[in-house]
Structure formats: structure tokens, C-alpha cells
């Protein structure tokens, strides 16, 4: 079912089914003209089928080469009635080629069955809208996580230095400079230290990460990471959620 909604292919498969049915119907008829008249009855009804000129049908095929005529058939579930009639009427039917430029436009209109090409285009827009609503935020979160991952790597040396300073002196440095740490790192990463609690704030171009120190059983410092203000958990690496 999903494959049948693809542009060009779904409509082509539907038209091919109808053509196959017509050929089976021709095999059950006593003559080719009888098969063509039967198709004419489907188009014109029980009262007018006998008045239809099959020769006029053949001349009408010339219009099938036009751009909009070709486009209409490429997105439709049924072949043109004139083509259906001529395929069963002539042993070697001469069906003109469609306008090649019509394929380029029809490629953007998914097959929507009997509801028509207009609804198919709306379904296409709806599908693209849903995919964009899912893919764009996901991609933005991915790129943001990549920036935060870089900030984590860039600031790892500062965290190691702060941990060593505290374990050696048993004191929290009043500033980053006291511990010999630069506040500006590569890739536009900036550091800020809160002496109370020795909390390290790592700011990148997409937001801020907060590193809070903890002591293990041996008195060694390790760091807990969490998102800063305004940063959603899905925007940061798993280690900071």
C-alpha cells in the first residue's frame, strides 16, 4: 500500500490494471469493435453508446500529446477512455507518447487513488510537513549536542586542574586564574567559576553546561554534568542529562 502512493508509480500501476481488465474483456467479446463499444458504454451510458464515433476516438488521441493532457493522465488512476477503446479496437494500436515535461511535474504529485490528483498533492504536502516537523528539530538537537560535546572535551582539562588543586590544597580557588586556568578556550568555549561549591559553568555558542563537583569515598573529585538554564535535556549529550 505505501508503495502505491509513490508519484508516477502508483498511478501507472492503477492504469495498467485497468488496461489488463480491458484486454481480458476483449478476449471475451465476439469482436474488437464490440469490445470498444462496451468501453464506450461505460463512458457514455446505456442510451448514447451507439452514437459514439470510434473513428473520432482515434482522432482524439492526438490531444494526448499535450502537456496538461499528459499530466492529467500521469496522475490519474484510469487511462484516457479513447486510449482504452483504441487499445482493444486496433490490433496494433498507435498510442502517442506523452509530453516528457509532464513527467517532471507529475513526479511531485503522489497517487491518491480515486480522490484525485489535487488531494494527492495535499497528501504530499502533509507528508512533507510531518517529516519536516520531525526531522528539523531532530537535526537541530543533533548539531547542538555536537557543539556541547566539543565544549565538554575542551573543558576537561580545566576540570582536571580544579580537581587537582582542591585535592592538593583542600581549598576552592577563588578564581580560575588562581588555579592557572584560562577562562577562554578554543571553539568559542568560555569558563566561569562559582567559588561557592566550585561549580564550573561552561558556555558555548548554543548554551551552557553546569559541572558540579562531588567527592568519592577516597576523597577524589569527580564531576556531575547538567544542562544550564534554557537548555533542554535532549539538546545535550547523554552524560549531561
Amino acid at each position: 500500500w505505501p508503495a502505491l502512493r509513490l508519484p508516477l508509480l502508483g498511478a501507472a500501476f492503477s492504469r495498467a490494471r485497468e488496461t489488463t481488465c480491458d484486454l481480458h474483456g476483449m478476449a471475451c467479446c465476439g469482436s474488437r469493435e464490440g469490445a470498444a463499444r462496451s468501453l464506450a458504454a461505460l463512458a457514455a451510458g446505456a442510451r448514447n453508446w451507439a452514437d459514439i464515433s470510434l473513428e473520432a476516438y482515434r482522432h482524439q488521441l492526438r490531444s494526448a500529446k499535450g502537456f496538461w493532457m499528459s499530466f492529467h493522465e500521469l496522475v490519474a488512476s484510469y487511462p484516457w477512455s479513447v486510449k482504452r477503446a483504441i487499445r482493444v479496437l486496433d490490433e496494433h494500436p498507435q498510442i502517442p507518447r506523452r509530453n516528457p515535461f509532464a513527467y517532471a511535474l507529475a513526479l511531485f504529485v503522489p497517487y491518491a487513488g480515486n480522490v484525485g490528483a489535487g488531494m494527492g498533492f495535499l497528501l504530499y504536502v502533509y507528508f512533507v510537513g510531518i517529516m519536516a516537523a520531525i526531522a528539523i528539530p531532530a537535526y537541530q538537537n543533533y548539531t547542538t549536542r555536537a557543539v556541547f560535546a566539543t565544549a565538554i572535551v575542551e573543558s576537561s582539562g580545566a576540570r582536571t586542574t580544579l580537581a587537582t588543586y582542591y585535592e592538593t590544597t583542600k581549598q576552592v580557588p577563588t578564581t580560575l586564574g588562581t588555579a592557572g586556568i584560562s577562562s577562554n578556550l578554543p571553539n568559542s568555549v568560555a569558563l566561569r567559576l562559582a567559588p561557592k561549591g566550585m561549580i564550573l559553568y561552561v558556555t558555548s555558542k548554543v548554551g551552557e553546561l553546569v559541572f558540579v563537583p562531588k567527592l568519592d569515598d577516597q576523597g577524589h573529585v569527580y564531576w556531575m554534568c547538567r544542562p544550564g538554564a534554557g537548555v533542554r535535556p535532549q539538546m545535550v549529550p547523554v552524560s549531561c542529562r
Side-chain angles (χ1 to χ4, degrees):
W1 179 87
L4 293 181
R5 300 298 168 229
L6 293 176
L8 292 179
L9 295 181
F13 178 74
S14 177
R15 293 194 305 272
R17 288 191 304 181
E18 296 301 326
T19 299
T20 301
C21 290
D22 295 342
L23 296 178
H24 278 281
M26 181 193 68
C28 297
C29 288
S31 67
R32 288 184 174 273
E33 182 176 353
R37 292 288 179 187
S38 299
L39 287 171
L42 292 177
R47 295 182 178 180
N48 299 318
W49 68 270
D51 297 329
I52 288 181
S53 171
L54 296 179
E55 190 62 28
Y57 259 7
R58 184 175 285 106
H59 289 298
Q60 192 176 346
L61 274 178
R62 300 170 185 171
S63 301
K65 296 186 295 184
F67 175 83
W68 289 112
M69 301 300 185
S70 300
F71 171 75
H72 174 269
E73 188 179 29
L74 286 172
V75 299
S77 55
Y78 287 84
W80 273 28
S81 296
V82 292
K83 289 187 177 182
R84 297 178 67 179
I86 297 305
R87 281 194 178 101
V88 298
L89 181 63
D90 295 346
E91 185 175 357
H92 301 290
Q94 300 297 319
I95 305 298
R97 294 181 178 272
R98 301 186 186 95
N99 188 300
F101 296 103
Y103 286 88
L105 181 59
L107 184 62
F108 295 95
V109 181
Y111 175 59
N114 294 330
V115 297
M119 182 59 69
F121 182 75
L122 292 179
L123 290 175
Y124 182 79
V125 173
Y126 180 71
F127 175 77
V128 171
I130 291 177
M131 293 302 296
I134 296 174
I136 292 177
Y139 176 75
Q140 291 175 338
N141 288 338
Y142 169 78
T143 56
T144 301
R145 285 195 299 270
V147 175
F148 277 131
T150 300
I152 292 174
V153 173
E154 294 288 353
S155 62
S156 60
R159 294 194 299 277
T160 300
T161 301
L162 286 173
T164 301
Y165 185 96
Y166 179 81
E167 292 171 7
T168 301
T169 65
K170 303 302 179 183
Q171 294 180 349
V172 175
T174 55
T175 64
L176 290 172
T178 303
I181 301 172
S182 173
S183 60
N184 295 313
L185 301 179
N187 297 307
S188 301
V189 176
L191 305 179
R192 179 169 59 89
L193 179 67
K196 185 178 180 180
M198 202 170 71
I199 299 175
L200 181 65
Y201 296 88
V202 179
T203 304
S204 69
K205 58 184 180 182
V206 294
E208 189 176 66
L209 296 175
V210 181
F211 289 89
V212 180
K214 302 289 183 180
L215 291 176
D216 61 16
D217 295 338
Q218 286 75 37
H220 298 301
V221 175
Y222 66 95
W223 298 89
M224 300 293 293
C225 176
R226 70 169 187 261
V231 178
R232 300 189 305 274
Q234 60 267 30
M235 297 170 60
V236 300
V238 177
S239 59
C240 284
R241 297 180 186 176

